[in-house]
């Protein structure tokens, strides 16, 4: 499937789900090296919120022609069984423009406080392209400090590490965001550290980001 077709799928997901979703998050980050666009939504599937469905989509585009091999598009949908407010588990289907399709089973551990949130997602993934069984760990944290009415200081980070057969490095990143939050808008500076391949090739990107959060009751 061509990258342009996958981008159309991302656009469809954004405009088809953002009104229906309980929580929707859109982010644009751009600097000298690359531009990233990401979309995330999560929606309860029943009134008791025992089950929920989440959709993640992202598009990463490097600006230099010599870096085209690092361009990346991904779309993932996960159905979670929410065991309690801290623990969820469920299967997902993921497409990546580099690695192809994979089926996954993920565990979500979530801790939410007034100023601090932490999510940890370990996953086991089966890749259709290689038939490997891989391991992945994703971590997301955010800290906010109120400054004055509607304004908050923001510091957030996302960390991912993916390993072929649990032993060979495939893909990692560390994404840091710092700035301000005004109502449901977040903006400021970003720094991304990306690593690719078994003998990691490292890329660093710096720029500005804007994140919009929609909450529908």
């Amino acid at each position: 499937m061509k990258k342009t077709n996958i981008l159309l799928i991302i656009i469809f997901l954004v405009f088809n789900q953002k009104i229906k979703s309980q929580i929707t998050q859109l982010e644009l980050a751009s600097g000298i090296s690359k531009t990233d666009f990401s979309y995330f939504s999560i929606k309860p599937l029943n009134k008791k919120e025992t089950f929920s469905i989440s959709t993640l989509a992202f598009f990463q585009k490097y600006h230099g022609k010599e870096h085209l091999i690092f361009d990346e598009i991904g779309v993932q949908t996960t159905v979670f069984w929410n065991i309690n407010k801290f623990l969820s588990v469920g299967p997902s289907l993921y497409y990546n423009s580099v690695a192809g399709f994979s089926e996954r089973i993920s565990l979500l551990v979530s801790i939410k406080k007034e100023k601090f949130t932490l999510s940890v997602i370990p996953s086991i993934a089966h890749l259709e392209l290689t038939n490997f069984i891989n391991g992945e760990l994703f971590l997301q944290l955010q800290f906010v400090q109120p400054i004055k009415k509607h304004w908050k200081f923001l510091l957030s980070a996302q960390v991912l590490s993916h390993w072929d057969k649990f032993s060979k490095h495939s893909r990692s990143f560390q994404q840091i965001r710092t700035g301000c939050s005004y109502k449901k808008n977040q903006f400021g500076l970003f720094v991304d550290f990306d690593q690719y391949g078994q003998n990691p090739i490292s890329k660093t990107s710096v720029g500005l980001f804007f994140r919009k959060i929609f909450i529908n009751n």
Side-chain angles (χ1 to χ4, degrees):
M1 189 178 294
K2 295 181 180 180
K3 289 185 178 182
T4 52
N5 292 336
I6 299 301
L7 182 57
L8 290 175
I9 292 175
I10 294 176
I11 295 172
F12 171 79
L13 288 171
V14 170
F15 289 100
N16 187 55
Q17 293 196 34
K18 72 177 183 179
I19 301 301
K20 301 176 183 178
S21 300
Q22 185 78 7
I23 298 175
T24 299
Q25 176 179 297
L26 302 174
E27 181 185 285
L28 177 66
S30 186
I32 297 175
S33 300
K34 68 171 183 174
T35 294
D36 285 354
F37 172 77
S38 64
Y39 163 82
F40 174 76
S41 76
I42 186 164
K43 176 185 176 182
L45 292 177
N46 59 344
K47 291 183 179 181
K48 293 184 179 181
E49 300 187 12
T50 308
F51 296 95
S52 59
I53 184 169
S54 71
T55 301
L56 170 67
F58 68 88
F59 172 68
Q60 174 179 277
K61 174 67 177 177
Y62 278 89
H63 300 158
K65 291 183 179 180
E66 67 275 16
H67 302 307
L68 290 179
I69 59 172
F70 301 112
D71 290 355
E72 197 172 5
I73 296 172
V75 181
Q76 177 172 297
T77 297
T78 306
V79 176
F80 280 115
W81 170 37
N82 303 312
I83 301 171
N84 54 47
K85 65 179 181 178
F86 302 109
L87 190 64
S88 303
V89 64
S92 63
L93 179 64
Y94 177 54
Y95 176 82
N96 183 280
S97 57
V98 178
F101 283 96
S102 64
E103 304 85 25
R104 301 174 171 218
I105 184 76
S106 300
L107 181 69
L108 168 62
V109 181
S110 181
I111 299 173
K112 296 181 180 180
K113 302 294 184 179
E114 183 179 357
K115 298 180 181 180
F116 177 81
T117 61
L118 171 66
S119 297
V120 181
I121 307 177
S123 301
I124 297 175
H126 170 255
L127 268 68
E128 295 287 345
L129 183 65
T130 60
N131 205 31
F132 290 168
I133 302 296
N134 295 351
E136 181 176 289
L137 180 64
F138 176 78
L139 182 149
Q140 183 182 59
L141 60 88
Q142 179 173 280
F143 171 78
V144 293
Q145 175 62 50
I147 302 174
K148 59 181 181 179
K149 186 178 181 180
H150 300 311
W151 286 92
K152 298 177 182 178
F153 166 75
L154 167 73
L155 178 63
S156 66
Q158 294 188 146
V159 177
L160 177 136
S161 186
H162 188 99
W163 293 75
D164 290 342
K165 299 181 178 180
F166 294 88
S167 60
K168 297 180 180 179
H169 180 270
S170 176
R171 177 75 166 96
S172 296
F173 64 69
Q174 304 81 42
Q175 300 176 342
I176 301 172
R177 309 286 187 265
T178 185
C180 292
S181 174
Y182 176 73
K183 295 184 177 180
K184 301 303 179 183
N185 303 299
Q186 300 175 354
F187 49 88
L189 301 175
F190 84 85
V191 181
D192 284 0
F193 304 96
D194 292 281
Q195 300 87 39
Y196 304 87
Q198 185 175 345
N199 298 309
I201 299 173
S202 298
K203 298 288 181 182
T204 301
S205 305
V206 180
L208 301 175
F209 82 93
F210 175 79
R211 183 186 296 158
K212 178 70 176 181
I213 300 173
F214 302 89
I215 299 178
N216 302 308
N217 297 318

